[in-house]
Amino acid sequence: MITLQEALKLSPQEQTKLVNDILDKAKASDLNAYVGFETSGSGVPILIKDNIQVDGWSVTSGSKILQGYIAPYNATVIEKLSQNGMMCLGRSNMDEFAMGSTTESSFYGITKNPHDTSRVPGGSSGGAAAAVAGGIAIAALGSDTGGSIRQPAAYCGCVGFKPTYGRVSRYGLAAYASSLDQIGPITQNVTDASILYDAISGHDEKDSTSADISSAPTFPNLNPDRKLTIAVIDNYISEASSDIQQAYANTVKTLESLGHTIVHKNMQNTKYNIATYYIVATAEAATNLARFDGIRYGRRAESTNVGDLFINTRTEGFGEEVKRRILLGNFVLSSGYYDAYYLKAQKVRHLIRDEFNEIFKDADLILSPVAPSVAPKIGAVHDPLEMYKSDMYTIAINLAGLPALSLPVGRDESGMPIGLQFIANAFDEQTLLDGALGLEKAIGYN
Ligand code: GLN
C-alpha cells in the first residue's frame, strides 16, 4: 500500500483512482475491519473509527444502542483532515464504546488479525490496525483511552501514536472516559504518524480540555539522528512473555548501538495501574453513557411507560462488557464507596504521574512493552479480569496524560508482530517521533 507521505504528492485524479482502488479492496476483504464504506470530501483517504463523528455518516461506537444514529456535525479532527489534503473513507470496527482489548465485543462482529486470521487484531481500534496492516487502508484515526491505538498497532505490526492528553481535540469523539480519551494516528510508519498528527493536532476552543500550547509541526523537523537518554524500567518487564522480553533486550542493544544513553530505573506504583485505571475509566464511562436512554440518540426499545423505556433500551442496547463497566462505575461513585474507591484512585493517579515526572528528570524517553504477549487467538480471553490485565503496559500512560508511540520491532516464532512503545514527557511529541524514527530505520521492520 502506498504511504500517506507518497499519497499526498499524487494529483487529484490519481487520488480519486486511489480512493476507488481502496474501496474495491476493502469491500473484497474478509477481515471485517470496515463496518461502513462511506466517503466524504476529496484528497488522500483516511479510515475513521466508528466513534468519531463525520457529518451525515452513521456513528455507532460499535454498539446496538446507537444503530440508526446519524452524526449531525464533523468532529474537529475531520475538519482538520480536509484542511490538510485528506478525506474520510470508511468506518473501522471497534470494541463496543471502545471498551476492550480484542475487537470481539462489537455489534458488527469480530475483526481478524491480517497476520493470522484465527487471532484478534487487538482493541479497541482493532479495525483500524487490521486495515492498515492488511493493506486496505493508507492510514487511520483511532482513539486511545488505555491503549486502544498502541496495542492493536502492536498486535498487527503497524505504528500507533497516542498524543499528549489535550493535544488533539476530542470535540466529536464519542466519550468513553473523558479524562483519558485521545484521538491519534494508526499508520504504516513513523513518518506518516508525524504527518497525520501535525494535521489533526492543535488548540480547539470547542474542547475545554484542549491545550493552548502551540508547537512547531513535527514532520519538517523530524531528526532520527538525535542522541537521546532512554530509560528502561527494569522491574516492569518481567511480566511480559519471553519473546517480548527478548525483543525488548534486542531493542535496548540496538538503541545503544545508535549512540543513545540507556539509564536503568524502577517504578514502584506500577502494581496499582490496573486497579486505578479501571476505577477512573468505569466511573467516567458510567457517567458518559447515562445519556443513552432511548430518547435522544439511536435505538428505542418497545415500552409503555418512560421508566421501562430507559430500562428496556439500555438492557437490549448495551452489550455485556459495557453493562459490567456501568455497574462497576456506578458502584465506585456511590455514596459510601466514593471515598474508598474513586477518591483513592484519583490520589494514586497523581502518584503514578509523579513517578513518570521523576524519570523524565533524567531521561528523554522511556522504552516499554505494549502488551505482555502477542495477539491471542479469537475467543481465548474469557475472563474480563484477564483482559484487563493485558492492559498493564498501556494504561498508566493515559492516567498520566503522556504521549506514547508503539512501533513493530520484530516477530515471535509463529510470525506474529511484536511492538514496543516509547513514552515521552507531556507535549514532547517531537522527541518521541525523532526517537521512534531512528529506531524504525535501524530495525528495518517490513
Ligand atoms: N482495553 C482498555 C479498556 O478496555 C483500553 C481501551 C481503550 O483505550 N479505548 O478500557
Side-chain angles (χ1 to χ4, degrees), residues 75-124:
T76 297
V77 292
I78 301 301
E79 297 288 342
K80 283 179 168 268
L81 288 183
S82 66
Q83 290 156 13
N84 286 280
M86 293 173 244
M87 62 175 275
C88 305
L89 183 155
R91 277 284 182 216
S92 64
N93 202 11
M94 58 182 281
D95 279 302
E96 186 180 4
F97 284 106
M99 299 171 187
S101 311
T102 60
T103 313
E104 292 174 293
S105 70
S106 167
F107 174 74
Y108 299 99
I110 296 167
T111 296
K112 296 170 191 157
N113 190 309
H115 294 273
D116 173 353
T117 53
S118 71
R119 292 178 191 257
V120 302
S124 66

Side-chain angles (χ1 to χ4, degrees), residues 54-65:
V54 183
D55 192 8
W57 287 21
S58 146
V59 56
T60 74
S61 278
S63 182
K64 182 174 174 185
I65 208 164

Side-chain angles (χ1 to χ4, degrees), residues 49 95 97-102 123-125 143-151 176 181 277-278 281 321 325 387-388 390-391 394-395 398:
K49 189 172 178 178
D95 279 302
F97 284 106
M99 299 171 187
S101 311
T102 60
S124 66
S125 312
S143 66
D144 191 312
T145 305
S148 279
I149 288 176
R150 291 161 286 150
Q151 183 257 33
Y176 160 15
D181 298 338
Y277 171 85
Y278 276 95
E321 183 58 32
R325 295 192 188 200
M387 187 176 74
Y388 302 167
S390 74
D391 297 330
T394 46
I395 52 190
N398 301 69

Side-chain angles (χ1 to χ4, degrees), residues 38-285:
E38 300 94 329
T39 54
S40 123
S42 60
V44 175
I46 306 293
L47 175 59
I48 311 296
K49 189 172 178 178
D50 192 25
N51 59 356
I52 301 173
Q53 317 255 345
V54 183
D55 192 8
W57 287 21
S58 146
V59 56
T60 74
S61 278
S63 182
K64 182 174 174 185
I65 208 164
L66 276 172
Q67 297 303 309
Y69 182 68
I70 303 296
Y73 62 90
N74 276 332
T76 297
V77 292
I78 301 301
E79 297 288 342
K80 283 179 168 268
L81 288 183
S82 66
Q83 290 156 13
N84 286 280
M86 293 173 244
M87 62 175 275
C88 305
L89 183 155
R91 277 284 182 216
S92 64
N93 202 11
M94 58 182 281
D95 279 302
E96 186 180 4
F97 284 106
M99 299 171 187
S101 311
T102 60
T103 313
E104 292 174 293
S105 70
S106 167
F107 174 74
Y108 299 99
I110 296 167
T111 296
K112 296 170 191 157
N113 190 309
H115 294 273
D116 173 353
T117 53
S118 71
R119 292 178 191 257
V120 302
S124 66
S125 312
V132 171
I136 50 173
I138 296 174
L141 290 185
S143 66
D144 191 312
T145 305
S148 279
I149 288 176
R150 291 161 286 150
Q151 183 257 33
Y155 280 4
C156 292
C158 49
V159 169
F161 177 21
K162 175 223 167 289
T164 309
Y165 183 78
R167 264 297 196 210
V168 177
S169 171
R170 292 183 298 111
Y171 180 73
L173 171 69
Y176 160 15
S178 312
S179 76
L180 304 163
D181 298 338
Q182 189 62 183
I183 296 174
I186 295 183
T187 55
Q188 299 170 57
N189 58 44
V190 174
T191 305
D192 281 2
S194 155
I195 294 171
L196 196 46
Y197 163 75
D198 286 345
I200 62 171
S201 56
H203 179 60
D204 180 13
E205 58 189 26
K206 290 183 185 147
D207 170 1
S208 63
T209 59
S210 164
D212 199 357
I213 298 177
S214 61
S215 295
T218 58
F219 172 64
N221 299 306
L222 279 178
N223 177 3
D225 301 321
R226 259 173 87 184
K227 302 294 172 238
L228 302 166
T229 303
I230 298 171
V232 298
I233 313 296
D234 291 322
N235 67 328
Y236 198 30
I237 52 173
S238 60
E239 282 175 70
S241 71
S242 56
D243 284 331
I244 292 191
Q245 291 195 38
Q246 188 58 52
Y248 189 88
N250 295 344
T251 304
V252 172
K253 279 195 202 120
T254 307
L255 292 169
E256 274 172 329
S257 73
L258 289 173
H260 298 304
T261 305
I262 303 293
V263 292
H264 293 267
K265 296 280 177 184
N266 284 312
M267 285 183 100
Q268 302 311 320
N269 294 319
T270 50
K271 55 184 175 296
Y272 304 123
N273 288 353
I274 291 168
T276 308
Y277 171 85
Y278 276 95
I279 291 170
V280 173
T282 56
E284 294 184 19

Side-chain angles (χ1 to χ4, degrees), residues 359-370:
I359 293 177
F360 286 122
K361 285 184 183 160
D362 301 329
D364 302 303
L365 296 174
I366 299 171
L367 180 72
S368 155
V370 177

